Amino acid sequence: MFKGIDYYDIESELSPQARAVRDRARAFVEGNVMPHIGEYYRNGTFPLDLVPVMGGLGMFGANLAGYGLPAIDNLAYGLLMRELERGDSAFRSFASVQGALVMYGILAFGSEEQQRRWLPLLANGRAIGCFGLTEPDHGSDPAGMTTTAVRDGDGYRLTGTKMWITNGTVADVALVWAKLEGQIRGFLVERGTPGFSAHEIIGKLSLRASVTATLVMEEAQVPQEGLLPGALGLKSVLQCLNQARYGIAWGALGAAMACFEEALSYVEKRQAFGRPVAACQLTQAKLADMVTEITKGQLLALQLARLKDSGRLRPEQVCLAKRANVRMALEVARTARAMLGARGITDACQSMRHMCNLESVDTYEGTYEVHTLALGRDLTGIDAFT
Ligand code: TGC
Ligand code: FAD
């Protein structure tokens, strides 16, 4: 059973509710993810039969309130994301897209009718959502999107292509961002909508256990009720991204902790030059650095949760944590992979799988560079994006 690493006794800060959420998620990952993840990764599949199970465990939109949603605090939510990503980034990604991007978007910007219809279904995993923002030619700069919506009778016609969309081919509903009369608006596009199709992207060397797709809209016919009335402009998009980035800052810790635990356990047993590899000074230096960086990341995430729960969280603080914790996890995964020697390049170990996944996590939800520039702008007041 995964123990994790808690060098600074963060456990003592956890409420009984947070511990219960963490323990439930840990048991789910131990029982349902770990025995099969090697196979999912190799085959490039996500186990859709686990979606209602995750829904039943309250894993979707867990920190949201209303419509019977769990409304757990953000520390408990962070631990949930951490445990899921300890199994594989694909599971945290699924929960992020479903809860933090789609459900949050509907809750924050949807009509009451949209909320009543979709939130219970998405929460219990009886429906799957995806979030269509990125386009083939506009990733870091979504303001430049070319997908357009035009009014057509009582509804809209959407034309454009969205790319790299998690869950695109398995989603019942896509939250698609498009420009209507020049302004970015959000639309709920249902599976089966005339003019709308989704196509799986194959050949990924990262996040292989997650479904990634292209969404094509050729005058897709979206009824009036599909428009999210409250989503106006890029700011609404970025509000959704903040929620998901918060979860990623926590999730990355799970991947890092899994890699650390795997590397430590291996070097304690593996012999070289007649003694355990753990007895080598260079190995101990690696372990000391890994645990230091993970602990710093944990304290960062802990304070981020406190800021979010007290309503004082600024978007740039989320950028800092997403940027720092994902890059830290990537470094930890690379170091762990090296410590596992040749065995570390096979799927008998998990560190290289986490390492490959984290390359995507470093890129999506704002690349490392985008968050660097967001911080630079916050610190200097000078926009260096262009
Ligand atoms: P900019 O002028 O900076 O901002 C427009 C308006 O938004 C406000 N704002 C924010 N609001 C909330 N949260 C934030 N993080 C915000 N950042 C900015 C800003 O104050 C402004 O408001 P107002 O009232 O003045 O209008 O816009 P910009 O065009 O300069 O772009 C800023 C930039 C580059 C940081 C932004 O475009 C960006 O974040 N780009 C990265 C794109 C990205 O992250 N895409 C993610 C796609 S979804 C995904 O990857 C899912 S992965 C699956 C998974 O999660 O597992
Ligand atoms: P680009 O924006 O083309 O960037 C290319 C490189 O240029 C990057 O290194 C970037 O940092 C750098 N760069 C860009 N601008 C600057 C600058 N001003 N200064 C310095 N460097 C710069 N999107 C969705 O909408 N929904 C999803 O569900 C989703 N899921 C994804 C799942 C996976 C597995 C992946 C890999 C991506 C997913 N994405 C999703 C897309 C993701 O958000 C984008 O890949 C990301 O925003 C970067 O866009 P891009 O790939 O077009 O890179």
Side-chain angles (χ1 to χ4, degrees), residues 11-54:
E11 182 77 15
S12 63
E13 303 280 327
L14 305 186
S15 65
Q17 183 202 45
R19 286 177 204 210
V21 168
R22 187 265 322 270
D23 292 345
R24 240 188 345 261
R26 190 168 287 188
F28 166 80
V29 169
E30 203 69 40
N32 297 279
V33 179
M34 298 319 288
H36 310 292
I37 185 61
E39 181 192 327
Y40 300 146
Y41 198 85
R42 221 175 301 145
N43 298 339
T45 52
F46 183 86
L48 291 174
D49 55 313
L50 290 181
V51 175
V53 179
M54 293 172 76

Side-chain angles (χ1 to χ4, degrees), residues 92-93 140 142 234-235 238 241-242 245 315 364-366 377:
R92 197 270 311 136
S93 237
S140 296
L234 189 62
K235 196 176 179 121
L238 291 166
L241 298 185
N242 276 338
R245 290 168 178 175
Y364 69 35
E365 289 286 358
R377 180 167 67 182

Side-chain angles (χ1 to χ4, degrees), residues 97 131-135 138-141 163-166 204 207 212 360 363-367 369-370 373 384-385:
V97 171
F131 187 84
L133 175 64
T134 306
E135 298 185 352
H138 295 284
S140 296
D141 56 342
M163 201 170 180
W164 308 113
I165 309 305
T166 301
K204 284 184 299 165
L207 265 178
T212 314
S360 283
T363 288
Y364 69 35
E365 289 286 358
T367 66
E369 290 76 16
V370 159
L373 294 172
F385 281 99

